[in-house]
Amino acid sequence: MNIFADIRFIYAGSLVVLSLVILFIYSERKRKKRISLLVAGKLNKDLILGFSPLKQNLKFCILILCCILIFVGLARPQWGMQKRQSVPSGIDILFAVDVSKSMLARDVKPSRLERVKLGISNLIEKVAGDRLGLIAFSGGAFLQCPLTLDHQAFIKTINDLQVGLIKTPGTNLALPISEATRSFSKDDSDRFLILLSDGEDLEGEGLKRAKEASKDGIKIFTIGIGSDQGSRSPTDTKTNSNNFMLDRSGNPIISKKDAKALRAIAEATGGKYLPLGPTGEGLAEILAHLQSIGQQKKKEQLSSELPIERFQAFALMALILLFSNSLVTRRSGFRENAQVLLIFFLLTFGGCLKNDAVKEAELAIAQGNHLSAAKLYTDEINASRISEKPIDPKLFLNAGISFMEAGMMDEAEINLEQALDSSFNDPELQSLALNSLGNLYYQKTNFWLDRQNVNMARKTWERALEFYESAYNLDGNEKANRNFLSLQKQIEERINSLVCLIYGTIWWDRNGDRERQGHEPFLKGSVFWDKDGNGEHNKSNEPSLPTNEYGGFQFEWISSLYPNSFNLDSFLDENSSTDQGIALVPTFPPPPPPFQENLVVNHLLSIDQAGEKALSITYRKPPSISGKVWSDENGNGEYEENEKGGSSAKIFLDRNENSKLDENETSHTPRGDGSFLLAIQPGRHLVCIEPENPDANVTFPIQERKGYFVQLDYEEMAGNLNFGIQDNHNQEKQDQPQDSPNDHPQQNDSSQNDEGESDPEQKNEDESAGQEVNALYERLLQEMESKSKPLEQETRSSGNLSAGRDY
């Protein structure tokens, strides 16, 4: 048995050694011959200083021995055997995912394709240690992700799948099977294909190709997606799209799951068919089965005997002889020998001469004490500054990474920036610093996301992407590129899982159908979070957002848990909040029972999941009443030109229809000219009047109830609700002459005593006389009312009601 792994170096070494010996003998003879021409042989020691044939021969022998050791080491001497056990790798699994348009159907929420992507991503840990690959197919097929152990890259490829990825329309189940046959390793006996589709094989070649794949040792498992009843397929990927694919007759195309075709393909290769299930149960069962196969394979350890390499000892001896050869000189003092030994020592054990602080820092990192390591690197940096020596940029880099691992982000960023600034002539180190800065901002992004601060998370996320991209562009740093691709999708998905984009408009809904028409104007205002649910904006703790000039608004609702709900309300700007003196009021959709519609004061937004939520905020003009109150001086119930309007009365809505203004009923005083315009709630109301003078009479309307019944809805108005009031007390005041106090001195004197005070007896006589006058006045009024005629006036009625005028 040959102990050398490569015997050619033995032959080459023998030739080199023989050549050196011949050359040495020839050069020695020639040297002696030249010396003999000058000095006799007996006088060599006396005349030639340092002459020693013994040392010359010893030096040559060391050189020859060194060459022999080098070539022996290169020949890799081997003796002795050692056993080595190896664990075989896992199995190879290819996923073939249907990306045809039928996968947009929503009989599985949120869609067939999205459910497949979520199912694979959530269950990927079940096949840890196995090589995974991905094939996308529809009317064509291609290998989207080759077989790899990098499951993060595989998940990224899964997430990038979308309908329309393959331009060829249709579904051909034979194509992914053919692609899988070409993609599997020929020497692997455990090859599995998981085909996920709704099973609509438009070409009908799937079963035939599956039988051929079975001969190649490929086992196919099929997963059916969708319902047996089928569903319409949208024309685009929007989750709220209402545009569906139609056939040539204009009828919607219904896509159904073809379980029969998928089961036939699986059984033809010895595989199994299962439906996906609401939460991916079918896929989970198949992956668990494949994982058990992979685990069984890993238990079958392979054992082999390998020879032990012995070249290390020969290489070390050759190195020692090479340095010792320089010691064998004719004149060698202590100083020269010490220099040679020092060089040898530094080259051999230089790795052990690291600075104590750096060595301790590396030991601290190995023990997981990153904060201590960071402080040790900082001490070394400060020592270099004190001694005014150049600071190694690697110290900044290592300190920054250690601070980052210790969670001290500010100190980490300072050191990494310094490493970047001090390594302008070292692209590799700069690339490492940029990648570390990307990692730092990635951790900051997760920090802000944990606190649901999406705005800050987006800023740090963008910085991280910039650093990763710069590192890759600098020297093609593949690690930074992988970080870039992983972070770009990972953080985006995490942000999207927290954010619901809420948008909408505010407009005047004139017809109340909650669908904006072209003639209905936008309203400019603000929306606010009604935290206390009272329908009023509290500026101190309820944030608001102004709309644009077209009434549009958009904001993000951030939550770590869905579904949830909150109250949203709005208010209008002053220039758009009224119409002809009547303020527009918000209208709200009817709430679910048992809430009462008239108690709703805001919009209750129920958010089922992150994504987008549209909201329409509508305003309408409330019902209104208008009319005039006049002073009916002659009491005939007819408005005449010489009669003026009056405001000495109160208009009120009589809730209990008792024709009296009660405490719980609000009232309104007309303007100075007697006119009034009031906004009221939708519904049926009785509009009444109450004069300020209780002795005044309401001469119009002439009905007993002295009011108007109105039945109004939004955008409606009841006009000409006029009231006539005869107040003879005011008339008497106007008819009486304006006498001065001195016009009737005798009367004044008779009613007062000498001290200027009123006489009580005289006062009682005056009060009795007044009561007689008032009694006579009331009888006169009753006679006038009995002789008065009803006033005819056009009115608009909403129903046959007794008592009162209807509007």
Side-chain angles (χ1 to χ4, degrees):
M1 178 180 177
N2 195 352
I3 65 172
F4 297 104
D6 194 344
I7 195 64
R8 293 175 299 176
F9 284 100
I10 298 297
Y11 298 143
S14 301
L15 183 60
V16 170
V17 169
L18 181 60
S19 300
L20 289 175
V21 171
I22 295 173
L23 181 61
F24 178 76
I25 294 173
Y26 172 75
S27 62
E28 282 295 308
R29 288 181 178 179
K30 192 171 184 179
R31 182 178 64 83
K32 288 180 180 180
K33 185 177 181 181
R34 290 179 179 178
I35 292 175
S36 63
L37 296 176
L38 298 174
V39 181
K42 295 180 179 181
L43 302 176
N44 284 343
K45 293 182 180 181
D46 298 329
L47 298 179
I48 301 176
L49 298 177
F51 176 78
S52 176
L54 179 61
K55 288 184 178 181
Q56 287 292 113
N57 294 334
L58 179 60
K59 188 176 181 179
F60 176 73
C61 292
I62 291 175
L63 178 62
I64 293 298
L65 183 58
C66 182
C67 290
I68 293 173
L69 291 173
I70 290 174
F71 280 100
V72 170
L74 290 173
R76 293 172 54 201
Q78 300 172 341
W79 63 84
M81 302 296 291
Q82 64 177 356
K83 289 186 176 181
R84 186 178 68 177
Q85 292 181 338
S86 61
V87 179
S89 60
I91 59 178
D92 289 347
I93 304 175
L94 275 175
F95 290 83
V97 179
D98 189 352
V99 292
S100 61
K101 286 190 175 181
S102 62
M103 294 293 284
L104 292 174
R106 303 186 196 127
D107 48 1
V108 178
K109 299 297 182 181
S111 69
R112 294 178 181 179
L113 181 58
E114 290 302 319
R115 174 50 57 189
V116 168
K117 292 162 64 174
L118 289 172
I120 296 176
S121 300
N122 294 336
L123 298 171
I124 200 68
E125 61 183 15
K126 289 185 174 293
V127 286
D130 298 329
R131 292 202 305 169
L132 306 179
L134 177 65
I135 296 173
F137 73 93
S138 57
F142 70 91
L143 185 64
Q144 186 84 352
C145 176
L147 287 167
T148 178
L149 288 171
D150 188 353
H151 288 188
Q152 290 297 324
F154 173 79
I155 292 176
K156 179 192 177 303
T157 310
I158 283 287
N159 292 332
D160 290 339
L161 284 179
Q162 57 183 352
V163 172
L165 187 65
I166 299 176
K167 303 303 180 183
T168 307
T171 304
N172 190 341
L173 298 181
L175 296 180
I177 300 175
S178 300
E179 186 67 27
T181 304
R182 293 189 294 268
S183 303
F184 279 121
S185 301
K186 299 299 182 181
D187 55 347
D188 194 344
S189 59
D190 295 318
R191 294 181 287 176
F192 303 97
L193 172 65
I194 300 178
L195 195 151
L196 300 101
S197 173
D198 51 25
E200 291 187 322
D201 189 1
L202 302 181
E203 302 298 330
E205 296 290 329
L207 180 58
K208 179 181 178 181
R209 188 64 192 89
K211 293 178 179 179
E212 297 175 359
S214 178
K215 298 177 182 178
D216 296 329
I218 298 175
K219 186 175 289 188
I220 302 176
F221 294 85
T222 54
I223 300 290
I225 305 107
S227 62
D228 297 331
Q229 297 78 19
S231 175
R232 294 180 295 175
S233 297
T235 57
D236 52 57
T237 58
K238 296 181 180 179
T239 56
N240 57 351
S241 173
N242 292 322
N243 299 319
F244 299 97
M245 292 189 292
L246 306 175
D247 58 17
R248 294 181 179 180
S249 302
N251 299 319
I253 297 176
I254 304 299
S255 173
K256 299 181 180 180
K257 178 179 66 176
D258 189 356
K260 183 178 180 181
L262 293 174
R263 183 178 288 104
I265 290 174
E267 292 176 352
T269 61
K272 188 177 182 180
Y273 163 79
L274 286 173
L276 180 63
T279 59
E281 299 92 336
L283 180 60
E285 182 177 339
I286 288 178
L287 291 180
H289 173 67
L290 295 180
Q291 178 71 352
S292 64
I293 297 176
Q295 291 295 337
Q296 181 62 32
K297 182 179 178 182
K298 290 177 182 179
K299 293 178 181 178
E300 299 173 357
Q301 295 184 343
L302 302 177
S303 179
S304 58
E305 290 188 351
L306 298 176
I308 303 174
E309 298 280 354
R310 307 290 185 176
F311 66 89
Q312 299 89 345
F314 294 94
L316 180 61
M317 288 188 291
L319 184 62
I320 294 173
L321 290 175
L322 189 61
F323 277 95
S324 64
N325 188 38
S326 61
L327 300 177
V328 184
T329 59
R330 293 181 179 178
R331 297 183 61 183
S332 56
F334 175 79
R335 183 177 179 181
E336 291 81 359
N337 294 338
Q339 290 177 349
V340 173
L341 289 174
L342 180 61
I343 293 172
F344 173 75
F345 181 79
L346 290 175
L347 292 176
T348 307
F349 304 103
C352 302
L353 297 179
K354 289 184 179 179
N355 186 282
D356 290 341
V358 176
K359 288 173 60 179
E360 292 178 8
E362 292 177 352
L363 181 61
I365 292 174
Q367 295 174 350
N369 194 346
H370 296 282
L371 181 58
S372 297
K375 292 180 178 179
L376 289 168
Y377 283 125
T378 303
D379 292 340
E380 186 64 22
I381 292 171
N382 294 332
S384 298
R385 285 173 177 164
I386 294 173
S387 61
E388 298 182 353
K389 294 181 179 179
I391 302 175
D392 189 353
K394 293 181 180 178
L395 293 174
F396 287 121
L397 178 63
N398 293 334
I401 294 175
S402 299
F403 275 123
M404 180 172 60
E405 294 295 334
M408 303 176 68
M409 297 301 170
D410 293 337
E411 292 81 357
E413 186 171 2
I414 293 173
N415 281 275
L416 290 174
E417 292 284 359
Q418 289 178 333
L420 197 62
D421 295 338
S422 59
S423 60
F424 60 90
N425 57 349
D426 189 348
E428 184 178 357
L429 198 147
Q430 276 199 327
S431 177
L432 293 174
L434 288 168
N435 184 67
S436 298
L437 282 168
N439 293 337
L440 183 144
Y441 274 89
Y442 169 72
Q443 293 188 24
K444 286 186 175 182
T445 302
N446 284 322
F447 171 84
W448 290 119
L449 285 178
D450 290 340
R451 284 152 183 80
Q452 299 183 30
N453 191 333
V454 173
N455 291 330
M456 289 299 301
R458 281 202 179 101
K459 293 178 181 178
T460 53
W461 174 40
E462 291 171 358
R463 289 293 305 277
L465 292 176
E466 290 175 1
F467 284 124
Y468 285 141
E469 188 174 13
S470 299
Y472 177 71
N473 293 335
L474 188 63
D475 67 341
N477 191 329
E478 287 298 332
K479 186 175 182 180
N481 187 44
R482 289 195 300 270
N483 291 337
F484 176 87
L485 297 175
S486 176
L487 172 65
Q488 191 173 28
K489 194 69 177 179
Q490 178 188 150
I491 300 299
E492 182 180 2
E493 290 178 350
R494 189 172 177 191
I495 289 176
N496 291 339
S497 68
L498 295 174
V499 175
C500 180
L501 179 66
I502 299 173
Y503 62 93
T505 53
I506 302 177
W507 85 89
W508 186 351
D509 187 16
R510 294 183 186 272
N511 58 11
D513 62 355
R514 304 193 70 83
E515 294 184 3
R516 186 181 173 275
Q517 312 298 325
H519 65 280
E520 296 176 339
F522 293 110
L523 300 174
K524 189 175 180 180
S526 299
V527 295
F528 67 92
W529 180 9
D530 190 9
K531 291 184 178 181
D532 51 17
N534 61 358
E536 297 179 359
H537 182 215
N538 187 343
K539 294 182 179 180
S540 62
N541 66 343
E542 293 180 344
S544 63
L545 174 71
T547 67
N548 58 23
E549 58 182 338
Y550 302 106
F553 62 89
Q554 178 176 298
F555 64 93
E556 291 180 338
W557 178 259
I558 302 167
S559 176
S560 60
L561 181 64
Y562 289 97
N564 58 37
S565 60
F566 69 100
N567 294 319
L568 190 71
D569 211 338
S570 62
F571 57 88
L572 299 180
D573 290 352
E574 293 181 359
N575 58 355
S576 62
S577 61
T578 60
D579 178 69
Q580 299 178 354
I582 299 297
L584 300 178
V585 295
T587 58
F588 308 102
F595 298 105
Q596 299 180 16
E597 185 173 358
N598 59 349
L599 299 180
V600 179
V601 294
N602 49 42
H603 294 269
L604 176 62
L605 267 72
S606 297
I607 307 175
D608 296 330
Q609 60 183 6
E612 295 184 357
K613 180 82 172 181
L615 174 65
S616 297
I617 298 181
T618 58
Y619 276 75
R620 302 194 71 188
K621 184 178 178 180
S624 59
I625 56 175
S626 66
K628 187 173 184 178
V629 179
W630 85 89
S631 179
D632 191 7
E633 296 178 358
N634 54 19
N636 63 356
E638 295 182 359
Y639 178 73
E640 299 176 359
E641 294 183 358
N642 62 335
E643 295 175 342
K644 299 180 180 180
S647 59
S648 58
K650 294 181 178 180
I651 307 297
F652 67 95
L653 301 180
D654 192 3
R655 294 183 179 178
N656 52 14
E657 301 182 6
N658 63 355
S659 300
K660 294 182 180 181
L661 178 59
D662 300 323
E663 292 183 357
N664 63 337
E665 296 171 347
T666 57
S667 61
H668 175 74
T669 302
R671 304 185 186 97
D673 62 353
S675 63
F676 61 88
L677 175 63
L678 301 178
I680 62 176
Q681 293 288 336
R684 180 178 179 271
H685 302 279
L686 175 60
V687 184
C688 294
I689 189 169
E690 182 179 85
E692 290 183 358
N693 182 9
D695 295 329
N697 291 326
V698 180
T699 62
F700 188 82
I702 61 176
Q703 284 83 354
E704 179 183 358
R705 198 177 290 275
K706 305 300 182 183
Y708 298 91
F709 277 106
V710 294
Q711 180 77 31
L712 297 176
D713 199 355
Y714 288 103
E715 308 292 337
E716 293 182 352
M717 179 177 180
N720 297 324
L721 304 185
N722 302 321
F723 292 93
I725 297 178
Q726 184 184 33
D727 191 347
N728 290 331
H729 178 69
N730 293 335
Q731 183 65 31
E732 288 176 358
K733 288 183 179 180
Q734 295 176 1
D735 294 340
Q736 288 178 356
Q738 301 294 327
D739 296 334
S740 65
N742 298 325
D743 291 341
H744 306 285
Q746 295 179 355
Q747 184 178 0
N748 292 340
D749 291 343
S750 64
S751 62
Q752 295 181 354
N753 56 21
D754 295 338
E755 296 178 357
E757 297 178 354
S758 300
D759 188 351
E761 295 179 359
Q762 182 67 35
K763 184 176 181 182
N764 293 334
E765 292 176 359
D766 293 342
E767 289 177 356
S768 352
Q771 292 175 357
E772 293 177 359
V773 172
N774 289 336
L776 177 61
Y777 177 65
E778 289 178 359
R779 287 197 300 273
L780 291 174
L781 289 178
Q782 291 174 359
E783 291 177 1
M784 290 176 63
E785 289 182 356
S786 64
K787 295 178 181 180
S788 63
K789 297 180 180 181
L791 179 65
E792 295 181 359
Q793 181 175 350
E794 293 183 0
T795 60
R796 125 178 118 80
S797 173
S798 61
N800 297 323
L801 300 173
S802 62
R805 189 175 300 276
D806 291 347
Y807 273 79

